[in-house]
Amino acid sequence: PSHHHHSGGDGARVVRPEEHFPYIDRFLQVNGGGDGGGGGALVFLSTDDEGFRNQMRERYGDKLRVYAAAAGTATAAGAEATTSSRYAAGEAVLAEALLLSKCDALLKPSSALSEFAVYFS
């Protein structure tokens, strides 16, 4: 699968989904996922931004995959989190980075999570 990691929480410029559409569309077209058929490439999205997720889901439908733990990571890692919730958030981030490292292509911002995905690949 292709991957897009969206982040704005670590100082990186926030990127709108439509800025990535041409790259993702081309990846899907070249890898058999752009024709709306049942086979071919998928897009794995890593973000805790619900609006971003919704825009991607609207455009890519059943081609989009989202790691379930991504939605709760930012909240669980906050200052008021308990030790166990911070540990769980750390596990979720590690699992997400490992999943991202297995993607065929990585479209990413300058963020720690996506950098670790590159290191693990």
Side-chain angles (χ1 to χ4, degrees), residues 50-74:
E50 185 177 353
F52 197 100
R53 247 190 336 267
N54 290 340
Q55 285 182 279
M56 293 290 287
R57 187 170 286 120
E58 184 177 313
R59 182 159 182 115
Y60 296 107
D62 65 350
K63 295 289 181 189
L64 184 69
R65 301 293 184 267
V66 179
Y67 180 54
T73 302

Side-chain angles (χ1 to χ4, degrees), residues 97-118:
L98 291 170
L99 285 169
L100 298 175
S101 75
K102 299 302 180 188
C103 292
D104 296 324
L106 184 63
L107 181 59
K108 67 173 196 63
S110 176
S111 76
L113 181 108
S114 55
E115 284 300 313
F116 278 107
V118 172

Side-chain angles (χ1 to χ4, degrees), residues 11 16 27 30 41 43-45 64 88 99 103 117:
R16 297 182 325 267
F27 178 87
V30 168
V43 176
F44 179 74
L45 176 65
L64 184 69
L99 285 169
C103 292

